[in-house]
Amino acid sequence: MPVYSEKVMEHFMNPRNVGEIENPDGVGEVGNPVCGDMMTFYIKVKDNRLEDVKFKTFGCGAAIAVSSMVSEMAKGKTLDEAMKITPRAVADELKGLPKQKFHCSNLGAQALNKAIKDYLDKKKGGGKK
Amino acid sequence: MPVYSEKVMEHFMNPRNVGEIENPDGVGEVGNPVCGDMMTFYIKVKDNRLEDVKFKTFGCGAAIAVSSMVSEMAKGKTLDEAMKITPRAVADELKGLPKQKFHCSNLGAQALNKAIKDYLDKKKGGGKK
Amino acid sequence: MRKVYLDNAATTPLLPEVREAMLPFLGEDFGNPSCLHSWGDVAREAMEDARNQVAQLIAADAEEIIFTASGTESNNFAVKGLALAQQNKGKHVVVSAIEHFSVLHSAKTLEKWGFELSLIPVDKYGMVSPDDVRKNLRKDTVLVSIMHANGEVGTIEPIKEIAKIAKEKGVVFHTDAVAVAGTAPVDVKELGIDALSLAGNQFYGPKGVGALWVRKGVRIIPFLDGGVQEGGRRAGTENVPAIVGLGKAAELAKANMASRTEHLTRLRNRLLTELPSKIKHVVVTGHPQDRLPGHASFCVEFIEGEAMLMLLNSQGVAVTSGSACTSRALKASHVLIAMGLSHALAQGSLLFSFGLDNTSQDIDYVLEVLAPVVDRLRQMSPLYAKFTKTSKGG
Amino acid sequence: MRKVYLDNAATTPLLPEVREAMLPFLGEDFGNPSCLHSWGDVAREAMEDARNQVAQLIAADAEEIIFTASGTESNNFAVKGLALAQQNKGKHVVVSAIEHFSVLHSAKTLEKWGFELSLIPVDKYGMVSPDDVRKNLRKDTVLVSIMHANGEVGTIEPIKEIAKIAKEKGVVFHTDAVAVAGTAPVDVKELGIDALSLAGNQFYGPKGVGALWVRKGVRIIPFLDGGVQEGGRRAGTENVPAIVGLGKAAELAKANMASRTEHLTRLRNRLLTELPSKIKHVVVTGHPQDRLPGHASFCVEFIEGEAMLMLLNSQGVAVTSGSACTSRALKASHVLIAMGLSHALAQGSLLFSFGLDNTSQDIDYVLEVLAPVVDRLRQMSPLYAKFTKTSKGG
Ligand SMILES: Cc1ncc(COP(=O)(O)O)c(C=O)c1O
Ligand SMILES: Cc1ncc(COP(=O)(O)O)c(C=O)c1O
């Protein structure tokens, strides 16, 4: 399907890291069905690194491929490194996205970021307690 | 050529009565190159009848076919009868004319009429003298 | 892998007879119908034959048919041309909320040109109420355009009743019959309408050709300015091969309408019944009875349409989601939203449109491959996860 | 009877390679390019290949090409769409007096919408003077549209010079290259223009397809409202077979341009020289050198064009008089009148447009059959009678 790159198709057909993490260290949910896509990222953090990343996504082929790609890129990275994953970088790793699907890569990066912030917030909160 | 009826084509390909009459009893010229068609009718009158009718025409296929048909319809008729040849009658005899060519049948009837009037005017003038 | 084409609402294949009819005009009969020589004659005669065939399909007079290049062009021409022709009388137009974008956006363009626009709502089946049309007619209303049937949900609108109301008020009535003409019987006199759009590629004719029928005596401003083709109403060298193909397709459609309808209705009824019983949380969209013969449309809860299409495609099944022509746009179908569906549900729309070649085995195959596709995407869906948690919890 | 087609300006036959390229898309590759399944993919890929081929013909970028259904549509789209996109900047447009009606009447429609229109005159060869364009540019001028070559008299206009003047003043420049693209080399960057129209059936491609090239960054308002095809700039299901044919025709035109030009120029030069020497009172119309390769046009004094066409047709020769697309209209060609010809002379216009299949023997035959045709009509013509009397008398 040439609207999508082979790489997008490959991640769509065989998405990595689908699912939820029980007792996650952070959760990030972005989007909603009105805009057409919705992603929830779950992370497990160990030694300031993303030990595990999982996601659930409601959305088009690009949204699913992006989620898979973000999870793969993020896994094993430090929190700082993971926060620096840009939509551009995700799209590039996927060998490009159609113009009208670019917002999906924004969502993917945002969801990951949100999960990490959730973790950091909780930690801060936990620290206070 | 189906824009024109077979009858139109037949008169166009083999127009009757083309030419001039030397010393005609009446001449009628109508139209001009700006409007696209120009017809000159020449008549010879004997015993109030059109003994001979000839024409010259500059114009499209319809103009030539109409001229031919008018000349044929008029020949042998009394002046009164000939004056009553309507554009409609000419078009009907030709088995129809395309809408945008209808003005040609007007011209044909007009040219004949004008030639007859020319004859009548001359006669009146001659009578006065 | 089995290949099953179930996207006939997007475009149909050419029938072999249609292609055969076209071929000479892609060969030695290549003339321009405007030309006054034998090449032109051959082209012109073929075009006029096609005009007759199209006229007969909708019980119109041949001289009332204007050939265009698509259903979209017919709709642009009708909506803009009929409104502009009457702008001295008034500047208010009425269309339904579920029109194809070629009508809806043309009406929006009229708004930019100073017209006022009223959108008629629809019920949950996508049905326009004639009474709603009546209520929206004003002294300055010059055009009502309501589609004959909707290509996304298949619902057939009460055109005859609406046309009657328009006529009572002296308002010109156009219908976009792109999804109907050639598929179900259309009689413009019986319907009492003023203008109608149709397109060749909806009934086994070629792409790149459509027609607008305008009742004799109804004024329309040309959309394409230029030469005097089509009686001065539509300029541009005519697409003779496509026009000839449209004519042939119209002839075949008229001749075989009853048997086609029977075949298509049987298939779609089976799918309308079996799919929701086989897969949970699926709703039928559009009217349960008053719908196009080959048309079965659904919304699958908790998942999104494009992802379903892609997985179905990987199994050889071609279907569509949302409107065929806009399936690459981002938003949920304006049709489903107008019918009151939630955005989440509307995102999961799935449209199966049967054609002459489809069989009951195709339905078996679809039912077989669709269930795991839906399941797989639901396993990925955060909406489904929430739903199962809530229902367990509840 | 010998059959000689010399009306390639009206439309050309399909090249066999073009037809071959189209056939699969009239068969199993019938998909709609907007659809997200393998049928759609095949159609979309073919369409994008064609876009590349067309882009290469005019040295443009593929994404700047918008497919349309005709040269007429491209011109309507360009003139209306480019002007409307800038109406906040100004409402003055400039076109030449000899534009094809699809440009001229589009400009007249703009007048109805509140724009002002300046018509640039031409000299006796049908040539626009760049200086005249310069003089007509105003602060509120938003569009200049001057044709690349005129289809009736063959004259090639100084587009590069005119485009330069428009650019200096910051005015968008469109050219109707329908008669040129695919026939003579066109390089949009070298020409320095903003938009260009072309049509398939002018260079052995199909009818029912054209293209508008719009330089990246130049705004245009869509002409056909509806779906999001062609990047949202031109709605409607794409005519895939015709688009594929256009692409193939473009590829072949580019590859064979030099040899085609040589062949056509030889033929037309022979006719331009021999016809006026063989038949008295015939004038060449259009520019003696700066003209389309296969194009030989004349006016025959004292007689009318249609009658000539019909008699030539009865001898198997297909030619045209006035503009191909308007030869069934009544009036004398606006092009010839703008060039200063009298109405009487303009009525006798005759256009021979050569194609790849024509030979020198075709010219022998035409010269043989034309003389008696002219003679016969002159014998019927009151204008000729007057002329001979006057010259005898004089
Ligand atoms: C109801 C309706 N109208 C108009 C159209 C537009 O047709 P096209 O895209 O072929 O121009 C469609 C296309 O599917 C349609 O379903
Ligand atoms: C210069 C020019 N522009 C535009 C056109 C219009 O092309 P079409 O009638 O194929 O739409 C023609 C047709 O011959 C032409 O010669």
Side-chain angles (χ1 to χ4, degrees):
Chain A
M1 206 164 290
V3 224
Y4 288 134
S5 70
E6 270 178 45
K7 192 90 187 184
V8 171
M9 285 308 294
E10 203 269 313
H11 273 266
F12 168 72
M13 294 303 292
N14 310 293
R16 293 38 152 179
N17 307 308
V18 175
E20 297 180 24
I21 296 176
E22 288 211 29
N23 306 318
D25 293 328
V27 179
E29 184 177 300
V30 298
N32 59 61
V34 176
C35 85
D37 298 292
M38 190 175 156
M39 298 178 187
T40 313
F41 268 75
Y42 304 85
I43 55 171
K44 200 90 200 165
V45 182
K46 195 174 175 182
D47 300 336
N48 211 37
R49 271 186 198 276
L50 291 171
E51 193 188 38
D52 200 7
V53 180
K54 287 207 180 300
F55 74 91
K56 286 221 161 175
T57 288
F58 165 92
C60 63
I64 290 170
V66 160
S67 306
S68 167
M69 179 52 86
V70 167
S71 71
E72 203 175 68
M73 288 168 78
K75 229 168 152 175
K77 283 214 166 59
T78 66
L79 297 187
D80 269 5
E81 285 164 356
M83 300 269 274
K84 282 184 193 136
I85 295 173
T86 61
R88 178 85 263 165
V90 177
D92 284 351
E93 278 295 318
L94 285 167
K95 311 280 181 234
L97 276 175
K99 216 177 354 179
Q100 72 269 37
K101 297 291 188 182
F102 221 86
H103 74 111
C104 292
S105 52
N106 292 329
L107 280 184
Q110 273 170 33
L112 176 67
N113 257 320
K114 224 169 159 181
I116 297 174
K117 284 212 183 94
D118 179 48
Y119 162 76
L120 294 174
D121 284 352
K122 276 188 201 152
K123 212 176 74 170
K124 234 193 281 171
K128 269 184 208 159
K129 265 179 215 165
Chain B
M1 207 165 291
V3 224
Y4 288 135
S5 69
E6 271 179 43
K7 191 91 187 182
V8 171
M9 285 308 292
E10 203 269 314
H11 272 267
F12 169 71
M13 293 303 292
N14 309 293
R16 293 38 150 179
N17 307 308
V18 174
E20 297 181 24
I21 295 177
E22 287 210 29
N23 305 318
D25 293 329
V27 178
E29 184 178 300
V30 297
N32 58 62
V34 176
C35 83
D37 298 293
M38 191 175 157
M39 300 179 186
T40 314
F41 268 75
Y42 303 87
I43 57 172
K44 199 89 200 165
V45 182
K46 194 174 177 184
D47 299 337
N48 210 37
R49 269 184 200 279
L50 291 172
E51 193 189 40
D52 200 8
V53 181
K54 286 204 182 298
F55 74 89
K56 286 220 161 176
T57 289
F58 165 92
C60 63
I64 289 169
V66 160
S67 306
S68 166
M69 179 52 86
V70 167
S71 72
E72 202 175 65
M73 288 167 78
K75 227 168 154 175
K77 282 213 169 57
T78 66
L79 297 188
D80 268 6
E81 287 165 354
M83 300 268 275
K84 284 184 191 135
I85 294 172
T86 60
R88 178 84 264 164
V90 178
D92 285 351
E93 277 295 317
L94 285 168
K95 311 278 181 238
L97 278 175
K99 218 175 357 181
Q100 72 269 37
K101 296 293 188 181
F102 221 87
H103 73 112
C104 292
S105 53
N106 292 330
L107 279 185
Q110 273 171 33
L112 177 67
N113 257 320
K114 224 169 159 181
I116 296 174
K117 285 214 184 91
D118 180 48
Y119 162 75
L120 293 174
D121 283 353
K122 274 189 202 153
K123 213 176 74 169
K124 236 195 282 173
K128 268 183 207 159
K129 267 179 212 163
Chain C
M1 189 175 56
R2 195 182 175 100
K3 297 262 276 172
V4 181
Y5 185 76
L6 291 171
D7 199 5
N8 290 278
T11 197
T12 50
L14 280 187
L15 280 174
E17 297 94 319
V18 171
R19 188 172 44 249
E20 285 309 311
M22 292 170 70
L23 286 179
F25 300 90
L26 298 170
E28 58 180 23
D29 297 337
F30 64 86
N32 180 332
S34 294
C35 293
L36 291 166
H37 48 60
S38 54
W39 279 268
D41 296 343
V42 170
R44 188 164 52 250
E45 280 175 45
M47 186 168 81
E48 296 314 320
D49 286 349
R51 202 184 302 281
N52 268 311
Q53 291 165 318
V54 172
Q56 279 171 31
L57 178 68
I58 58 170
D61 290 346
E63 66 199 68
E64 298 171 327
I65 301 288
I66 309 169
F67 290 119
T68 68
S70 64
T72 291
E73 186 191 323
S74 296
N75 284 338
N76 274 260
F77 185 8
V79 173
K80 296 172 185 172
L82 293 169
L84 287 177
Q86 303 175 85
Q87 57 179 326
N88 291 334
K89 210 187 124 197
K91 291 195 151 198
H92 177 240
V93 302
V94 173
V95 310
S96 86
I98 61 161
E99 294 300 310
H100 185 264
F101 282 145
S102 51
V103 167
L104 209 52
H105 293 175
S106 289
K108 296 250 158 90
T109 292
L110 284 177
E111 268 190 314
K112 280 189 207 135
W113 295 348
F115 283 75
E116 274 180 82
L117 175 60
S118 296
L119 287 185
I120 307 294
V122 293
D123 68 11
K124 63 177 174 174
Y125 297 124
M127 193 68 86
V128 172
S129 141
D131 242 24
D132 281 337
V133 175
R134 188 197 307 276
K135 279 184 218 142
N136 277 280
L137 293 184
R138 314 188 320 203
K139 274 226 175 90
D140 60 342
T141 309
V142 291
L143 176 66
V144 175
S145 179
I146 308 284
M147 68 200 322
H148 199 331
N150 183 283
E152 272 180 71
V153 297
T155 304
I156 298 177
E157 304 295 340
I159 293 308
K160 194 173 168 179
E161 289 70 28
I162 300 172
K164 206 172 149 214
I165 292 167
K167 186 166 228 159
E168 279 165 22
K169 303 276 179 185
V171 178
V172 169
F173 180 75
H174 164 257
T175 190
D176 169 6
V178 166
V180 181
T183 296
V186 173
D187 180 325
V188 294
K189 284 179 192 119
E190 155 85 13
L191 288 173
I193 60 182
D194 298 306
L196 175 145
S197 303
L198 60 83
N201 71 323
Q202 292 281 319
F203 53 99
Y204 312 99
K207 294 181 187 60
V209 67
L212 180 66
W213 167 79
V214 183
R215 193 165 56 70
K216 216 175 298 172
V218 173
R219 272 197 68 220
I220 188 161
I221 302 283
F223 177 62
L224 278 158
D225 294 318
V228 297
Q229 291 93 347
E230 297 295 287
R233 293 184 294 179
R234 199 266 186 184
T237 302
E238 299 91 341
N239 186 354
V240 181
I243 287 171
V244 167
L246 175 65
K248 190 70 189 176
E251 184 190 282
L252 294 168
K254 193 176 152 73
N256 304 318
M257 188 140 322
S259 63
R260 287 186 188 179
T261 302
E262 207 227 293
H263 172 72
L264 295 176
T265 309
R266 190 161 359 101
L267 293 175
R268 78 91 152 119
N269 282 347
R270 194 186 147 204
L271 194 64
L272 284 178
T273 317
E274 294 188 21
L275 197 153
S277 78
K278 170 135 190 185
I279 301 175
K280 270 193 199 165
H281 310 301
V282 169
V283 298
V284 171
T285 58
H287 198 278
Q289 286 87 42
D290 295 342
R291 62 187 304 139
L292 292 167
H295 195 288
S297 55
F298 307 90
C299 279
V300 181
E301 283 195 77
F302 313 121
I303 58 179
E304 192 268 351
E306 189 199 283
M308 276 190 279
L309 299 196
M310 288 168 65
L311 289 175
L312 282 172
N313 182 55
S314 73
Q315 304 289 323
V317 176
V319 296
T320 197
S321 173
S323 133
C325 312
T326 52
S327 62
R328 293 166 78 190
L330 291 173
K331 293 197 210 137
S333 151
H334 68 292
V335 175
L336 299 174
I337 299 301
M339 287 160 59
L341 273 68
S342 75
H343 276 85
L345 190 53
Q347 296 283 358
S349 93
L350 209 53
L351 159 54
F352 302 83
S353 43
F354 293 97
L356 303 183
D357 291 341
N358 290 122
T359 62
S360 210
Q361 284 76 46
D362 291 338
I363 300 189
D364 297 339
Y365 183 69
V366 165
L367 290 171
E368 183 191 319
V369 298
L370 182 60
V373 161
V374 169
D375 203 48
R376 175 172 169 178
L377 290 172
R378 282 187 178 157
Q379 292 311 321
M380 266 189 238
S381 164
L383 294 177
Y384 189 64
K386 279 182 193 170
F387 168 77
T388 48
K389 271 169 208 159
T390 322
S391 39
K392 267 185 230 152
Chain D
M1 188 175 59
R2 195 181 175 104
K3 299 261 276 170
V4 181
Y5 186 77
L6 291 170
D7 199 5
N8 290 279
T11 197
T12 50
L14 281 187
L15 281 174
E17 297 93 319
V18 172
R19 190 171 44 247
E20 287 307 312
M22 293 170 70
L23 286 179
F25 300 91
L26 298 171
E28 57 181 24
D29 296 337
F30 64 86
N32 180 332
S34 294
C35 294
L36 290 167
H37 48 61
S38 54
W39 279 269
D41 295 343
V42 170
R44 188 166 50 251
E45 279 174 45
M47 186 168 81
E48 296 314 318
D49 287 348
R51 203 184 301 281
N52 268 314
Q53 289 165 321
V54 172
Q56 279 170 32
L57 178 68
I58 57 170
D61 289 347
E63 63 198 70
E64 297 171 327
I65 301 287
I66 308 170
F67 290 119
T68 68
S70 64
T72 292
E73 186 190 325
S74 296
N75 284 338
N76 273 261
F77 185 7
V79 172
K80 296 172 185 173
L82 293 169
L84 287 177
Q86 302 175 86
Q87 57 180 325
N88 291 334
K89 209 187 125 195
K91 290 195 152 200
H92 178 238
V93 303
V94 173
V95 311
S96 87
I98 60 161
E99 294 300 311
H100 186 264
F101 283 144
S102 51
V103 167
L104 210 50
H105 293 174
S106 289
K108 296 249 157 92
T109 292
L110 284 177
E111 267 190 315
K112 282 190 206 130
W113 294 348
F115 282 75
E116 276 181 81
L117 176 60
S118 296
L119 287 185
I120 307 294
V122 294
D123 69 12
K124 64 176 174 174
Y125 297 124
M127 194 68 88
V128 172
S129 141
D131 242 23
D132 281 336
V133 175
R134 188 196 308 276
K135 279 183 218 144
N136 277 280
L137 293 184
R138 313 189 318 205
K139 274 224 174 93
D140 59 343
T141 309
V142 291
L143 177 66
V144 175
S145 178
I146 307 283
M147 68 201 320
H148 199 331
N150 184 284
E152 273 180 69
V153 297
T155 304
I156 298 176
E157 305 295 341
I159 293 307
K160 193 173 169 181
E161 289 71 26
I162 300 171
K164 205 172 150 215
I165 291 167
K167 185 166 230 157
E168 279 166 20
K169 302 277 177 181
V171 178
V172 169
F173 181 76
H174 165 256
T175 191
D176 169 5
V178 165
V180 182
T183 297
V186 173
D187 180 325
V188 293
K189 282 177 194 123
E190 154 86 12
L191 288 173
I193 61 184
D194 298 306
L196 175 145
S197 303
L198 60 84
N201 71 322
Q202 293 280 319
F203 54 98
Y204 312 97
K207 293 180 187 60
V209 66
L212 180 66
W213 166 80
V214 183
R215 193 165 55 72
K216 215 175 299 173
V218 174
R219 270 198 69 220
I220 187 161
I221 302 284
F223 177 62
L224 278 157
D225 293 318
V228 296
Q229 291 93 347
E230 298 295 287
R233 293 185 295 179
R234 199 266 185 182
T237 302
E238 299 90 340
N239 187 353
V240 181
I243 287 170
V244 168
L246 174 65
K248 191 69 190 175
E251 184 191 284
L252 293 167
K254 193 176 152 75
N256 305 317
M257 189 142 319
S259 63
R260 288 185 186 180
T261 302
E262 206 225 294
H263 172 71
L264 295 175
T265 309
R266 189 159 3 97
L267 292 175
R268 74 97 148 117
N269 281 348
R270 193 183 149 205
L271 194 64
L272 283 178
T273 317
E274 293 188 21
L275 197 153
S277 79
K278 170 132 191 187
I279 300 175
K280 268 194 200 164
H281 310 302
V282 168
V283 298
V284 171
T285 57
H287 199 278
Q289 286 86 41
D290 295 342
R291 63 186 304 139
L292 292 167
H295 196 288
S297 55
F298 306 92
C299 280
V300 181
E301 282 194 78
F302 314 121
I303 58 180
E304 191 268 352
E306 187 199 283
M308 276 190 279
L309 299 196
M310 287 168 67
L311 289 175
L312 282 172
N313 182 55
S314 74
Q315 305 289 321
V317 177
V319 296
T320 199
S321 172
S323 132
C325 313
T326 52
S327 62
R328 294 167 76 191
L330 292 171
K331 293 195 209 138
S333 150
H334 70 290
V335 176
L336 299 174
I337 299 301
M339 287 161 60
L341 272 70
S342 75
H343 277 85
L345 190 53
Q347 295 284 359
S349 93
L350 209 52
L351 160 54
F352 302 82
S353 43
F354 293 97
L356 302 183
D357 291 342
N358 290 122
T359 62
S360 212
Q361 284 76 44
D362 291 338
I363 299 187
D364 297 340
Y365 183 69
V366 165
L367 289 171
E368 182 191 317
V369 299
L370 182 61
V373 161
V374 169
D375 204 48
R376 177 170 167 177
L377 290 172
R378 282 186 179 159
Q379 291 313 319
M380 266 189 238
S381 165
L383 293 177
Y384 189 63
K386 279 183 192 168
F387 168 77
T388 46
K389 270 168 209 159
T390 323
S391 38
K392 267 185 230 151

